[in-house]
Amino acid sequence: MSVFLKDLSKLIESHNVCFTENLILDLLKIEKRWPIKYQWGQSSVEIINNFQNNINTGFFKDDGYLNYDKWKEYYDLGYTSIISNVFDLNENLRKLHNDLKRAVGNEINANFYLSKGNSKNKPSFALHSHPYDVIVKQLYGSSYWNINNKKTILSKNDVLMIPKNTDHEVFMIKKPKLSLTINLL
């Protein structure tokens, strides 16, 4: 693992990014913040279904914005949601974003992975890899990871570095959790 990636992980770890479940739920009620897709084509809110696909159908209104109540039905059933493009949601995230842009030299995207936890539903995608580095910070709760066939538990404020082309998956979420995932393209 590169020294640069370790330094970025320390930078992320040093930022105090605090969110509660209620705060995230309140932010998702801001209708016009969550279009079915952003201008560049990325979905703003998706769920991971039991086929381990991310979907965004069934919980957006005809005007193209999130129907909070329909989305919340899936959340209450324990499905994991991916909330994209989150660096603008509060001052601490904006500061982290600015620090990362200065360190890396380009724009960076971040997503939340939000779940109530439910042993009946798939918590994430099946084992997969990315052609870019990923850094994950657990904001609350815990998640159970498989990284290159090694099991690890990520707890509140833990930071995990996933180098590009590394097989990984979250294989279990027992209780509510929120992770910040930063993609270093």
Side-chain angles (χ1 to χ4, degrees), residues 80-101:
T80 297
S81 293
I82 305 168
I83 305 166
S84 300
N85 192 32
V86 297
F87 271 137
D88 67 327
L89 294 180
N90 75 10
E91 186 60 34
N92 290 338
L93 283 172
R94 287 188 288 275
K95 181 163 178 14
L96 174 59
H97 184 222
N98 287 332
D99 289 350
L100 286 169
K101 282 192 304 187

Side-chain angles (χ1 to χ4, degrees), residues 47-76:
I47 64 161
I48 300 172
N49 68 14
N50 278 326
F51 297 108
Q52 297 178 317
N53 297 317
N54 49 326
I55 61 165
N56 65 0
T57 56
F59 50 88
F60 281 87
K61 297 181 203 173
D62 291 339
D63 68 0
Y65 290 95
L66 183 68
N67 181 328
Y68 174 83
D69 292 328
K70 285 190 177 183
W71 166 83
K72 182 102 171 23
E73 289 176 22
Y74 289 100
Y75 177 70
D76 288 339

